[in-house]
Amino acid sequence: MLVPEKELARIRAEIARDPEAEYEKIRRGDLLDLPRYQCLLDVTRDERMQWWREARFGIFMHFGIYSARGAGEWELASCAVEPDEYLRSAENFAYQSGAAREWARIAREAGAKYMVLTTRHHDGFSLWDSKINLYNSVNYGPHIDIVREYVEACRAEGLKIGLYSTLMDWHNPDFARSTVDPDARRRFLDYTYELNRELLTNYGKIDILWYDGIFLLDNSIGWDALRMNQRLRALQPHILLNDRAGLPEDFTTPEERVVPNKQDWESCMTFNQISWGYVDEKLERNYQYSPQQIVRMLFNCAAGGGNLLLNVGPDPTGKFPDSITEKLRSIGQWLRANGEAIYGIRRKYKRFADGAGFGEFGGGALTWVTAQGETVYLGVPFWPKDGSMVVAGYAEPPKRIRLLHNGEELSFRFDGRRIRIVDLPPESPEPILQIPVIVLEFDEIPAYRYAGACAALNNGNTVFSASK
Ligand code: FHN
């Protein structure tokens, strides 16, 4: 149903006067139609998203019975495991009470600002004391409400709380019939809503509900997402929902790649480029990203106005692999000294003619760039050996250039086209990951033109024109 923009503006203005009244309507059962629901989200988005847009970095965790089998979270389906055999594996799913506090401590020390835990993955096994789904970690395996330990750990460590909640469910027989039996689909949709209602009712303030597994019912109509999402939002109106139940909601979720978007976006990435669930550390270690590669992801996410959700698959006891803990610790050390270049950055990528993405500002040929107001941050992974570094494309020179991690001022010259930073030390000065951040401080947002002195890239001109 297409609604004229003028009418949408009227609806937004009406809702803005009292958004809570809309949630009250939903709680009474007077569900909003799609245009009104999206107007409600538009009017309340900036306040709801503020902490998330500052956060830039979260830790994802895939944890469940599959962690005890060590063959990835899709083994049950992809390897046709017998359900009884899979259930027997629950006995080896030996979460140790208190492990969640370690998760949260490691995440906080890594510089992450939120976590997202799989409360139930596609195998249908709930990690909480569900009265709706008795196939859970209190009745089987560790006999512990892991979600409760997790939310308490996040709060103790000052982290925002994300709960991953699958739509697709290989355990519940109604799901398998939901595309051919309308009664089975209705029962399954009600089951799915009730599980999410438990999570948003019994565990205090939750910050993110992270849907996944849209398969089979395929889209928001199939999943009746308009009904489910607004009812869940009415339980906790501040909550953030991702786009994986088929409606745009609060943020999009590119997976295993960093893809800037006009809407808020979050790239979810495995640590080992292979499995979300636990696999033997000795086998995956060679495929793990290095801390330097993860810092590069953080630069590209921040430059594009998005977040990085980096996954860890804990072992069956809930322990993070040592090699991952060590890498996360070094990333946290780097962020403590250089996080100003990442956290809260709001610049959006601008697309270059050939689609090559780069920020609204640039740096040396091999630098990563973020910017905020009159300040430009250049991550420098390859430190120049000749003691100098050129930064081109700026119409005016900065007032000051410094190293972010220690505040050391750097000398520079400007010839009208190039900023030449000089007297640089021979080795990279950043002690943790050898990724120093050079800060260019301008008096005002600088005029910038990528390769502004290259006639071939500027329709034959070599004059600067401020970036649009
Ligand atoms: O099927 C899942 C997969 O197991 C994993 O949970 C990822 C994480 O984003 N999501 C689905 C694949 O897109």
Side-chain angles (χ1 to χ4, degrees):
M1 159 174 60
L2 281 178
V3 179
E5 178 49 37
K6 191 174 176 186
E7 173 61 6
L8 290 174
R10 185 198 65 76
I11 296 170
R12 281 193 286 267
E14 177 194 334
I15 291 173
R17 287 194 286 273
D18 185 5
E20 179 52 27
E22 302 301 309
Y23 294 114
E24 275 305 316
K25 283 181 196 171
I26 298 165
R27 293 179 193 119
R28 287 198 308 269
D30 300 334
L31 297 183
L32 310 184
D33 64 19
L34 184 58
R36 193 168 186 93
Y37 175 64
Q38 287 180 333
C39 284
L40 171 62
L41 297 191
D42 292 345
V43 164
T44 52
R45 175 166 289 108
D46 286 347
E47 181 183 357
R48 184 171 64 249
M49 292 294 289
Q50 184 177 352
W51 74 264
W52 189 92
R53 292 168 176 167
E54 299 293 325
R56 291 290 168 245
F57 184 25
I59 296 294
F60 205 176
M61 284 180 301
H62 279 66
F63 191 52
I65 291 177
Y66 47 83
S67 308
R69 297 179 59 86
E73 75 287 351
W74 269 75
E75 185 209 6
L76 175 59
S78 54
C79 298
V81 176
E82 286 300 327
D84 290 347
E85 178 195 337
Y86 193 77
L87 183 56
R88 282 196 298 275
S89 299
E91 292 318 308
N92 299 322
F93 177 48
Y95 170 81
Q96 296 299 302
S97 181
R101 186 64 189 264
E102 271 300 282
W103 299 342
R105 182 187 61 76
I106 293 168
R108 175 181 54 74
E109 288 185 2
K113 302 300 182 184
Y114 63 101
M115 299 187 92
V116 179
L117 169 68
T118 53
T119 65
R120 172 173 143 271
H121 203 263
H122 310 331
D123 60 3
F125 186 73
S126 291
L127 300 192
W128 77 93
D129 185 17
S130 173
K131 303 311 177 197
I132 307 290
N133 177 19
L134 302 182
Y135 181 48
N136 68 52
S137 63
V138 171
N139 296 332
Y140 298 90
H143 302 288
I144 294 174
D145 186 330
I146 296 170
V147 168
R148 184 163 304 287
E149 286 205 8
Y150 163 71
V151 299
E152 290 170 355
C154 286
R155 291 186 187 117
E157 297 291 341
L159 297 171
K160 295 287 190 178
I161 299 167
L163 302 181
Y164 168 113
S165 179
T166 186
L167 296 170
M168 172 168 64
D169 184 315
W170 302 326
H171 182 77
N172 184 313
D174 279 337
F175 174 72
R177 291 199 300 271
S178 57
T179 55
V180 293
D181 174 347
D183 293 337
R185 172 174 170 268
R186 190 66 258 163
R187 284 195 304 271
F188 186 71
L189 294 180
D190 293 343
Y191 171 79
T192 303
Y193 168 74
E194 284 303 322
L195 289 181
N196 289 322
R197 188 192 55 74
E198 274 190 329
L199 289 170
L200 299 192
T201 304
N202 300 339
Y203 293 93
K205 184 173 182 293
I206 302 300
D207 300 290
I208 303 166
L209 186 64
W210 211 96
Y211 286 129
D212 199 17
I214 196 169
F215 320 101
L216 213 60
L217 293 182
D218 273 348
N219 53 48
S220 64
I221 306 297
W223 285 103
D224 200 8
L226 177 60
R227 171 197 297 264
M228 175 167 65
N229 292 3
Q230 63 182 287
R231 292 171 74 195
L232 292 172
R233 284 188 184 276
L235 296 173
Q236 299 210 25
H238 60 277
I239 199 156
L240 305 184
L241 301 181
N242 72 3
D243 61 344
R244 292 199 177 186
L247 291 175
E249 300 298 344
D250 293 315
F251 59 93
T252 60
T253 51
E255 181 164 314
E256 296 287 49
R257 66 203 195 286
V258 174
V259 181
N261 191 335
K262 286 186 173 51
Q263 181 186 355
D264 289 289
W265 56 279
E266 172 193 74
S267 280
C268 55
M269 306 291 287
T270 54
F271 213 115
N272 59 29
Q273 308 169 67
I274 297 173
S275 172
W276 299 89
Y278 175 75
V279 291
D280 184 325
E281 182 178 7
K282 291 187 294 299
L283 300 178
E284 64 137 16
R285 192 199 313 265
N286 293 336
Y287 298 89
Q288 289 174 4
Y289 287 113
S290 67
Q292 288 79 2
Q293 287 172 307
I294 291 165
V295 166
R296 179 172 185 270
M297 290 180 207
L298 285 168
F299 258 99
N300 286 339
C301 285
N307 287 6
L308 171 64
L309 185 64
L310 179 64
N311 181 74
V312 181
D315 78 9
T317 70
K319 186 175 180 299
F320 280 13
D322 291 337
S323 53
I324 286 182
T325 299
E326 185 48 42
K327 290 175 177 171
L328 288 173
R329 183 177 297 119
S330 64
I331 292 162
Q333 289 172 325
W334 185 89
L335 279 168
R336 272 189 289 283
N338 299 284
E340 182 185 324
I342 305 294
Y343 297 126
I345 293 290
R346 298 292 178 84
R347 303 309 301 192
K348 294 280 186 188
Y349 263 85
K350 285 179 72 175
R351 281 285 166 216
F352 191 48
D354 64 6
F358 68 101
E360 285 184 76
F361 299 96
L366 300 174
T367 53
W368 309 326
V369 182
T370 60
Q372 195 76 294
E374 302 80 17
T375 305
V376 174
Y377 302 93
L378 308 181
V380 186
F382 307 132
W383 191 250
K385 290 298 179 199
D386 63 0
S388 73
M389 177 173 144
V390 168
V391 178
Y394 293 89
E396 299 297 333
K399 63 186 179 184
R400 183 169 170 246
I401 298 181
R402 60 186 166 89
L403 285 171
L404 182 55
H405 71 279
N406 61 13
E408 180 187 340
E409 288 230 12
L410 300 176
S411 305
F412 65 95
R413 296 192 293 270
F414 181 67
D415 63 6
R417 282 187 179 180
R418 286 168 291 269
I419 300 167
R420 184 178 291 278
I421 308 171
V422 296
D423 303 333
L424 293 173
E427 298 301 327
S428 174
E430 197 280 309
I432 307 297
L433 297 179
Q434 291 71 57
I435 304 176
V437 176
I438 291 178
V439 185
L440 310 181
E441 294 179 359
F442 293 87
D443 279 318
E444 55 190 18
I445 291 180
Y448 174 78
R449 179 74 186 180
Y450 179 72
C454 173
L457 289 175
N458 289 279
N459 305 314
N461 303 315
T462 59
V463 294
F464 295 100
S465 53
S467 58
K468 296 286 180 291

